Amino acid sequence: MKHQHKYDANGKQLCCTLEEKINMKTDKDSGCCTTHKEPKHSDDDRHDHSSSNQTTFQMFMPAIISFVLLLVAIGFDNYFTQSWFTGWVRIVWYIVAYIPVGFPVLKEAFESIRKGEIFSEFLLMSIATIGAFAIAEFPEGVAVMLFYAIGEIFQTLAVQRAKANIKSLLDQRPDEVTILENNVAKTIKAATAKIDDIIQLKAGEKLGLDGELLSDTASFNTAALTGESKPDTKAKGEAVLAGMINLNSVCQVKVTTAYSDSKLSKILEMVQDATAKKAPTELFIRKFAKIYTPIVVLLAILICVVPMLFVADYQFRDWLYRALVFLVISCPCALVISIPLGYFGGIGAASKNGILFKGSNFLDVMASIQNVVMDKTGTMTEGVFKVQEVVFNSDFSKTEILQLVNALESQSTHPVATAIHQYVGKIDSTIILKDVEEISGHGLKANINGKELLVGNFKLMDKFSITYDIDPTSIVYTLIAVAYDKKFVGYLTIADSIKEDAQITIDKLKALGIKTTMLSGDKNTVVQFVAKSLGITNAFGDLLPEDKVNKVKEIIAKNETVAFVGDGVNDAPVVALSNVGIAMGGLGSDATIETADLVIQDDMPSKIPMAINIGKQTKKIVWQNIILAFIVKAIVLVLGAGGLATMWEAVFADVGVALLAILNAVRIQRMRF
């Protein structure tokens, strides 16, 4: 069956490209894990799947053989003249030197033509080098293909290095785990462990699967997941994740998730998939290359033929040589590989620091972000509330009302509900709740023994016409108002603490010239207090979800870009509206990872300016490569067409520029942000 090319919605060809070839070779040579959902290639694709796990030396071996034969031939031609090194012997020698590096490219050119992709990089190099042989420029023909092959190997190694940041995460899950069966330790393959198995984890060991801590406490190094080596102490019943390292005594963990469904697997899959979401610059270069390459071939033909009509002493060999030089220079390798590599490096650098981009397009957007709009609770504050004070009317039993409030708040996952539960204690199972309803932006409502119980903010009291005799704005802390049987009972004050790196975050954002806005459903006095403490420009409290949407719309109406930072679930409308939705605490929520465009795994707001810096550096490197490639190629193309550039200059303009661009692209992986 004839091969049909596959294209994405933006017109990017998904198969039979140089980038695909290098990515496939990279995955084979590095033993890419099947966890990564890469597209499978049928035999009809005719890519070379024969060799796997090649060492760097094996990759360079054909080029080394070709290089040695070429050096010897050049020596015989110019320095150690041999009488026998003439005629067909000389031609055969150069052909043998050409085959190790030339045959794979000729094969790729043939396969591309067979599949309908005529104007490929492989065809350009094939025409140029075969043409050089046709006009007896044997050394240059071999040299061009040799340096092209070396360039491709360096491209493969560079992509391999870029992927290493992500693939190293795979090493954080051990192949084997120790489980307890009837209190007897038994070592099994991690992939075969079942849900509810009990893992025994020794000090210094990595956890192989997600689970629930059964021991009273344990401290873990979470660097594999968050990029932070700061120990994280977990208590009995808390979730622990694959890749975490036990730091102290032996602990026990009950498996809650299958090996293939672990949080780490999903993170790896997400980052791998991110490379498929191309930035506008990448898409432009792809489309440009599809038009650019056939135009260059046509121009090369014209350079060879048209002078025949105007030049008196026209020599076909000379003008063919100029056309071949022109073809070598025009090869777009530097652009089609170094640009995706730059974005891949950016995604890898971010993931190494616990920041997960959903696509290289978001690197571009973050680089030009003008406004960061943030939620308060869990973003700039710890989100760990504690009850400070309980002020109830003496007409009500404080103990009884708190038990009712505790029972109702057990229906919510909000941090406030957790604070109340920790303050009150065990839930009274004899309390029967009916008609439980969560009123968005207000609180909870239920019926108990035929009486209505309301727990929420003072807007909830107003909504149900409950009269109260206090001024909520006079109290800085978050207030939880309670009404029972249509009467105002009183309130609880709840306090949250500002995150230790919140101030650094705001300072860095201001240094970058980015405007900051805080939007929260929390009490306005609390929001203003936090905003003033941190120096946030604009802050608005007492907001409903639709109010947040309207505030963001106001910013967008000014034609300014917006990144919204929140939990990614409750704030879904705002996340969808903003240019980039950033979720804090991706480790805690599968839904968050699915919803957000960018996930900060360790809850640290200081990763927001870091993500912006990574985006800026990535974009800077990509444009440096584009400008370098175009300037050098333009200069040498003009010189080549005028007969002032030889194949050697052409090799530099092609492979040399590609290597310089690649070296520039991999710089981002060494940068500190």
Side-chain angles (χ1 to χ4, degrees):
M1 187 176 75
K2 186 178 178 182
H3 173 82
Q4 296 290 323
H5 288 313
K6 296 178 182 177
Y7 300 89
D8 65 13
N10 295 297
K12 174 185 176 290
Q13 188 174 322
L14 300 174
C15 59
C16 313
T17 64
L18 179 61
E19 184 187 353
E20 179 209 33
K21 177 172 175 276
I22 287 175
N23 275 312
M24 286 177 61
K25 186 173 180 60
T26 299
D27 290 339
K28 287 189 298 173
D29 293 342
S30 59
C32 183
C33 177
T34 54
T35 301
H36 301 188
K37 296 189 176 178
E38 304 273 354
K40 301 225 185 293
H41 297 270
S42 64
D43 289 337
D44 185 56
D45 286 341
R46 298 291 178 94
H47 288 292
D48 178 20
H49 292 265
S50 58
S51 64
S52 61
N53 298 319
Q54 278 188 310
T55 64
T56 302
F57 179 75
Q58 288 172 325
M59 292 170 68
F60 275 104
M61 181 55 74
I64 291 170
I65 293 170
S66 182
F67 180 65
V68 170
L69 290 173
L70 176 62
L71 281 183
V72 172
I74 291 174
F76 287 163
D77 274 342
N78 300 288
Y79 304 105
F80 313 105
T81 307
Q82 303 292 319
S83 58
W84 55 269
F85 194 69
T86 56
W88 66 268
V89 174
R90 181 171 179 265
I91 295 172
V92 170
W93 187 288
Y94 277 112
I95 290 174
V96 172
Y98 178 86
I99 287 173
V101 290
F103 179 74
V105 177
L106 295 173
K107 181 184 174 185
E108 291 288 350
F110 174 77
E111 293 293 339
S112 296
I113 293 169
R114 190 175 66 84
K115 294 170 183 175
E117 181 70 11
I118 298 172
F119 297 105
S120 63
E121 298 93 340
F122 314 116
L123 180 68
L124 293 185
M125 300 310 295
S126 299
I127 294 173
T129 52
I130 291 173
F133 268 77
I135 59 175
E137 296 289 351
F138 306 126
E140 294 184 359
V142 176
V144 167
M145 195 60 85
L146 170 63
F147 287 114
Y148 175 78
I150 292 172
E152 192 178 70
I153 294 168
F154 276 113
Q155 289 164 359
T156 301
L157 292 174
V159 173
Q160 205 171 69
R161 185 179 181 84
K163 288 187 174 184
N165 281 341
I166 298 165
K167 290 184 181 177
S168 65
L169 289 172
L170 287 171
D171 297 333
Q172 307 307 318
R173 289 187 302 177
D175 293 330
E176 296 180 333
V177 293
T178 302
I179 65 167
L180 296 177
E181 284 188 358
N182 300 320
N183 289 323
V184 177
K186 178 183 175 184
T187 301
I188 63 169
K189 293 286 185 185
T192 64
K194 300 185 292 293
I195 292 174
D196 292 333
D197 278 351
I198 307 298
I199 294 177
Q200 180 175 280
L201 196 66
K202 298 175 185 176
E205 282 188 332
K206 295 173 186 172
L207 184 59
L209 298 95
D210 294 354
E212 176 188 322
L213 185 64
L214 297 181
S215 303
D216 291 334
T217 60
S219 292
F220 295 89
N221 180 327
T222 63
L225 297 156
T226 65
E228 295 294 325
S229 57
K230 184 178 177 181
D232 186 5
T233 301
K234 299 288 185 182
K236 184 175 181 178
E238 286 194 271
V240 286
L241 305 173
M244 289 184 174
I245 302 172
N246 183 17
L247 293 176
N248 44 27
S249 58
V250 176
C251 65
Q252 293 182 0
V253 176
K254 182 171 77 173
V255 177
T256 57
T257 310
Y259 184 80
S260 58
D261 296 328
S262 70
K263 190 81 64 179
L264 189 53
S265 293
K266 292 183 178 180
I267 289 169
L268 288 164
E269 181 183 322
M270 187 196 79
V271 178
Q272 287 294 315
D273 291 344
T275 60
K277 297 178 182 176
K278 302 295 183 184
T281 313
E282 285 183 89
L283 295 172
F284 167 75
I285 291 298
R286 278 288 174 205
K287 291 176 182 177
F288 173 80
K290 284 173 66 178
I291 300 167
Y292 163 86
T293 308
I295 289 175
V296 162
V297 173
L298 177 62
L299 288 173
I301 294 170
L302 293 176
I303 287 171
C304 180
V305 176
V306 171
M308 185 188 305
L309 306 174
F310 304 101
V311 179
D313 57 344
Y314 174 82
Q315 294 289 327
F316 176 77
R317 184 185 181 283
D318 293 342
W319 287 98
L320 175 61
Y321 182 79
R322 294 186 189 189
L324 296 177
V325 169
F326 189 86
L327 279 180
V328 174
I329 299 165
S330 68
C331 192
C333 302
L335 295 173
V336 297
I337 288 299
S338 67
I339 291 170
L341 180 61
Y343 283 109
F344 204 110
I347 291 171
S351 64
K352 188 177 179 181
N353 285 284
I355 304 168
L356 305 182
F357 279 89
K358 287 288 190 72
S360 53
N361 49 326
F362 298 118
L363 279 164
D364 266 6
V365 179
M366 285 300 288
S368 56
I369 217 73
Q370 295 166 287
N371 293 270
V372 171
V373 179
M374 62 204 77
D375 191 18
K376 178 183 73 68
T377 307
T379 301
M380 303 310 288
T381 64
E382 294 289 351
V384 179
F385 290 91
K386 289 185 179 179
V387 174
Q388 304 295 314
E389 187 181 14
V390 178
V391 182
F392 284 172
N393 192 310
S394 58
D395 294 340
F396 295 89
S397 167
K398 179 178 177 181
T399 304
E400 180 186 348
I401 295 297
L402 282 175
Q403 287 294 343
L404 297 179
V405 170
N406 194 25
L408 180 54
E409 288 289 352
S410 69
Q411 305 295 308
S412 172
T413 57
H414 195 279
V416 167
T418 305
I420 291 172
H421 176 62
Q422 288 177 344
Y423 180 80
V424 179
K426 188 177 180 182
I427 297 168
D428 187 346
S429 59
T430 64
I431 297 173
I432 300 172
L433 302 173
K434 292 183 179 179
D435 304 323
V436 177
E437 181 184 353
E438 182 170 356
I439 302 167
S440 180
H442 292 76
L444 297 166
K445 168 182 171 291
N447 285 314
I448 302 173
N449 301 324
K451 297 177 181 179
E452 185 180 74
L453 175 67
L454 300 172
V455 180
N457 54 33
F458 277 87
K459 287 187 290 184
L460 182 67
M461 302 296 108
D462 296 336
K463 183 178 179 68
F464 286 88
S465 302
I466 305 295
T467 58
Y468 46 88
D469 56 359
I470 68 162
D471 178 13
T473 60
S474 65
I475 303 170
V476 173
Y477 291 138
T478 299
L479 295 177
I480 303 299
V482 181
Y484 185 56
D485 195 19
K486 303 292 184 182
K487 296 174 185 175
F488 180 66
V489 175
Y491 61 89
L492 298 85
T493 61
I494 293 180
D496 189 9
S497 56
I498 296 172
K499 289 184 177 178
E500 61 182 25
D501 65 332
Q503 186 63 65
I504 298 170
T505 302
I506 301 303
D507 293 343
K508 285 184 176 179
L509 289 173
K510 285 184 175 180
L512 289 167
I514 294 168
K515 302 170 194 170
T516 54
T517 303
M518 181 182 286
L519 304 179
S520 178
D522 205 351
K523 185 180 171 186
N524 191 50
T525 52
V526 177
V527 175
Q528 296 302 332
F529 174 77
V530 172
K532 187 177 179 181
S533 301
L534 297 174
I536 294 173
T537 312
N538 301 302
F540 304 91
D542 294 319
L543 299 179
L544 298 173
E546 55 266 32
D547 297 328
K548 292 183 180 181
V549 169
N550 291 331
K551 291 291 183 186
V552 172
K553 281 183 177 177
E554 288 175 15
I555 299 172
I556 292 174
K558 300 174 186 175
N559 292 320
E560 295 182 3
T561 52
V562 179
F564 180 82
V565 191
D567 62 15
V569 181
N570 297 333
D571 295 311
V574 198
V575 169
L577 183 65
S578 58
N579 299 96
V580 179
I582 304 175
M584 300 294 288
L587 286 180
S589 167
D590 288 337
T592 300
I593 291 178
E594 294 297 326
T595 305
D597 303 316
L598 191 157
V599 180
I600 294 174
Q601 293 177 253
D602 57 7
D603 283 335
M604 294 178 66
S606 56
K607 294 293 177 70
I608 300 167
M610 182 185 288
I612 292 170
N613 275 324
I614 290 172
K616 285 181 180 293
Q617 288 299 326
T618 302
K619 194 169 185 178
K620 181 180 176 182
I621 284 171
V622 164
W623 277 103
Q624 284 173 350
N625 285 347
I626 291 173
I627 293 167
L628 170 71
F630 275 117
I631 289 176
V632 174
K633 282 183 180 289
I635 292 170
V636 185
L637 277 172
V638 172
L639 294 175
L644 300 175
T646 68
M647 281 283 190
W648 300 105
E649 284 86 359
V651 167
F652 172 74
D654 175 35
V655 179
V657 171
L659 290 178
L660 288 174
I662 288 165
L663 290 172
N664 189 38
V666 299
R667 278 194 308 123
I668 194 167
Q669 296 165 59
R670 295 181 176 273
M671 290 181 180
R672 296 179 67 87
F673 298 98

